[in-house]
Each structure stands twice: as structure tokens, then as C-alpha cells.
Amino acid sequence: MAVKLNTLMHEPEEKIGSPLRTPLLIAHGLYGSARNFNSLGKQLAVDRRVVMVDMRNHGESPWDARMTYPAMAADLAEAVERLCGGRALVLGHSMGGKAAMALALSRPDLLAGLIVADIAPVGYDHSHAGYIDAMQGVDLSQVTRRSQAEPMLASALEEPMLRSFLLQNLVVEGGEARWRLNLAALKESLPDLMAWPGAWPETAYEGPTLFLHGGASDYVLEEMHPRIRALFPDVAFEALAGAGHWLHAEQPDAFLKSVRSFLRDLPA
């Protein structure tokens, strides 16, 4: 059953006599939130509505024990129907990219185009359990300010940028701290999140598709291209040189330029 996702929205600028273009829906990756794409969404909302969602078990969206790609695709379908007039361009990064691909393959009628950022329709052996263990290891009873949790994470996670990213999910209200992530459900679902649904319909999505990936990332490799083309035959590939998995954060200007170029070439 689909859940009603929390959203951030940017409405298009008022332009008399200029028709609005198809809305854009953006789905973030694991441990992210709609706010990760707030700046990008604002810049893309010149002539279209841009809807950014908190995926289930993330941000302010409902928590649910089911954390599978068919379930997340159903969530996105509900958002497209409710907020985008039943048809949208969909951009998804990482986990959100897999959910967007699942939506395209199951409900192609809802999509006018697809942008997949640094992920492929394959299984991965990347381990994220350590990140969840680190967050669960923070003693929230001792946290009255977000900065107090940083050294607790540092004992398990060496990379400062990663700690900063994860700490965006820590909320302190009234002197009490909580994670905006359903850590228990995410940990239980990691095998599903790292995989690609084995029983997923293999019907191809025929619409225009861009696979935009980091040139320094190992998530979209050339040997995966035949698999991608089989499911998304109208596909273009583009790499951002030097960018890693979080390419939209590492190279926001280049990412925006590539997305704009793809959108500009599509019908209204």
C-alpha cells in the first residue's frame, strides 16, 4: 500500500502567455531527504512545478516496515497523481533512482521522461550497515544539540562529510533528540535496497531516459550498459568527470547543466 510522502515544492515563475512544462518529481537517495535537492529544485522551477519528496522512512514521511522498490514505486506513483496532474518527469538519485526506474517499468503512463543519477538496475555489494550501526550507537539521551552527536559518530565514521550528511537527519526539539530515519526498518531492508527486484517485470520503459553518473563512481560501469539499454532503450549516458556517488552535491553546477540540457530537448 502506498504511503503519502512528505514533499517540498517550488512553483514556476509567473509568465503570461508562456505555457507551463511537465512537472518534475525528484526522489533522493538512502539517508537523504527532499531538502538535499532544494536548491536544485528551485533553479529548475522556472517554467514547471518541481516536487521533491521525502521517501518512506526518511525525513517527515511516514514510517513503514516495507522498504522495497515496488513499495517505493507505488509511493512515487501516488505523488505523481496527487501533485503532478498524473504525469511527470522523474529524477532519482541512488535509492531514489532505483525507485524511479521501478516506477517507469511498472507505470510508464505516469512518466514523460526519466533521469537516473548514479545507480543502475543491478544488485550491489556495498555495505551500509556500518552507517546505521553508527547512528544507532549515538546516545540520544546525552544529546541536546546536534553538535554533541558529531564526536559520537566520529568514533565509528572517519569521513567528516559523511558524518555531516548523516547528522542532517538528527532533530533536536525541546531538548530531546531523535533520528528522522526509521533506522530499524532500513537496517532490516538493506538486502532489498542493495538488490534489484528479481521478480520485477522485464518490460522496457520506452520513454526518454538519461543515466547521469559520476566519472569517479563505481555505481554505473560500462559493463552495465547492455542491461540498462535492455530496460531503457531510449537512453543517453553522461558522466561528470571527477564526481563521485553524490555528484549533485559535489558538482551542483555541472549536474544542473546536464539536467537542464536533457529537459530542454524534451517535448513540453
Side-chain angles (χ1 to χ4, degrees):
M1 181 177 178
V3 304
K4 187 175 180 179
L5 301 177
N6 181 60
T7 63
L8 293 176
M9 285 195 292
H10 290 295
E11 297 292 355
E13 300 173 358
E14 290 290 338
K15 288 190 174 183
I16 299 175
S18 298
L20 296 182
R21 295 174 69 85
T22 304
L24 172 67
L25 183 140
I26 303 177
H28 63 79
L30 186 59
Y31 313 129
S33 73
R35 288 185 288 184
N36 297 151
F37 285 90
N38 191 43
S39 176
L40 177 75
K42 185 175 183 179
Q43 294 177 83
L44 289 170
V46 175
D47 53 1
R48 72 181 78 240
R49 169 180 283 188
V50 177
V51 179
M52 298 152 289
V53 300
D54 285 337
M55 303 295 279
R56 60 170 60 199
N57 297 315
H58 291 72
E60 300 304 328
S61 281
W63 287 13
D64 192 283
R66 287 188 69 218
M67 194 66 189
T68 64
Y69 288 113
M72 285 186 276
D75 297 345
L76 296 181
E78 191 279 336
V80 171
E81 292 173 329
R82 175 168 49 94
L83 299 169
C84 302
R87 191 164 173 81
L89 297 151
V90 179
L91 185 162
H93 170 247
S94 195
M95 177 192 77
K98 279 191 170 181
M101 287 187 279
L103 174 64
L105 295 171
S106 61
R107 292 292 309 275
D109 56 301
L110 297 180
L111 270 72
L114 174 66
I115 303 172
V116 181
D118 211 64
I119 202 74
V122 300
Y124 294 89
D125 59 6
H126 302 99
S127 176
H128 286 260
Y131 302 160
I132 295 178
D133 290 342
M135 286 184 278
Q136 289 180 323
V138 173
D139 185 354
L140 297 179
S141 68
Q142 302 300 311
V143 176
T144 57
R145 299 187 309 276
R146 183 184 288 179
S147 59
Q148 292 173 322
E150 204 277 341
M152 299 183 194
L153 276 182
S155 61
L157 301 174
E158 295 182 1
E159 188 179 342
M161 287 187 64
L162 175 60
R163 296 198 300 270
S164 177
F165 171 68
L166 296 177
L167 283 171
Q168 293 178 31
N169 294 293
L170 185 65
V171 178
V172 181
E173 297 173 326
E176 295 188 357
R178 65 178 176 88
W179 292 104
R180 296 191 305 150
L181 299 168
N182 185 348
L183 295 174
L186 294 179
K187 188 171 185 177
E188 180 71 20
S189 302
L190 279 177
D192 287 328
L193 295 176
M194 294 301 106
W196 177 251
W200 194 255
E202 291 296 301
T203 303
Y205 169 66
E206 303 286 348
T209 303
L210 172 66
F211 270 71
L212 181 59
H213 60 97
S217 170
D218 62 355
Y219 277 74
V220 181
L221 302 175
E222 191 169 352
E223 54 261 36
M224 300 173 185
H225 287 195
R227 168 67 173 162
I228 295 169
R229 286 195 179 94
L231 294 176
F232 306 97
D234 187 10
V235 64
F237 294 94
E238 184 177 348
L240 298 186
H245 184 56
W246 284 277
L247 64 173
H248 58 288
E250 297 173 30
Q251 296 189 18
D253 292 340
F255 187 89
L256 178 63
K257 181 179 179 182
S258 295
V259 171
R260 276 180 167 160
S261 177
F262 177 75
L263 297 179
R264 187 169 53 245
D265 291 339
L266 298 180

